[in-house]
Amino acid sequence: MDFPETLKYTPTHEWVRLEPDGTLVVGLTDFAQDSLGELVFLELPELGRQLKAGESSAMAESVKAASDVYAPVAGEVVEANSALTEEPARLNKDPYAAWLYRIRPAGKPDLSGLLDAASYSKGLA
């Protein structure tokens, strides 16, 4: 499985990328999409929604199961990848290109509580 070094990870299998404008891009890890199997439905958060860290922010449904997606930090949803709602299986093809949503953190982005690629991978073993 692939876990890019440039990303941060949550124990609940989301990846996070800090953008130059201070927003965070959130997606599901390769492990998550592989565990779920073929995705058939995604429910993404609405624009403007205020999220708390650890709150369920989206839902991914596959032929095997449904799984909540959790917000890595508190903040406001500023963009959702609506193309994925029309073709959720794109997430299975490339989970790091098929991001779910962008969040503007409440305050300065603090990613210190997130895992690096090595720690995330070790936690899966």
Side-chain angles (χ1 to χ4, degrees):
M1 294 204 181
D2 183 33
F3 306 113
E5 300 277 333
T6 56
L7 302 175
K8 293 289 189 176
Y9 300 87
T10 69
T12 53
H13 312 297
E14 292 84 18
W15 59 261
V16 179
R17 182 179 66 226
L18 178 62
E19 297 291 285
D21 66 359
T23 61
L24 301 174
V25 177
V26 179
L28 286 177
T29 66
D30 195 14
F31 175 82
Q33 71 78 26
D34 186 61
S35 296
L36 284 168
E38 182 184 347
L39 290 162
V40 295
F41 177 76
L42 285 171
E43 181 180 313
L44 300 177
E46 293 185 22
L47 296 182
R49 180 174 167 192
Q50 296 293 324
L51 297 171
K52 296 176 186 171
E55 177 183 6
S56 176
S57 57
M59 197 264 299
E61 186 176 325
S62 72
V63 293
K64 292 198 258 182
S67 180
D68 285 328
V69 177
Y70 299 96
V73 299
E76 177 186 358
V77 175
V78 294
E79 186 177 4
N81 189 352
S82 59
L84 283 183
T85 59
E86 296 170 21
E87 194 182 348
R90 287 179 47 205
L91 203 142
N92 294 113
K93 295 175 186 157
D94 188 350
Y96 300 110
W99 56 275
L100 301 177
Y101 62 90
R102 291 179 192 265
I103 187 170
R104 177 169 278 101
K108 185 179 181 215
D110 180 12
L111 306 183
S112 63
L114 302 179
L115 305 169
D116 62 20
S119 297
Y120 176 72
S121 181
K122 184 178 178 181
L124 298 176

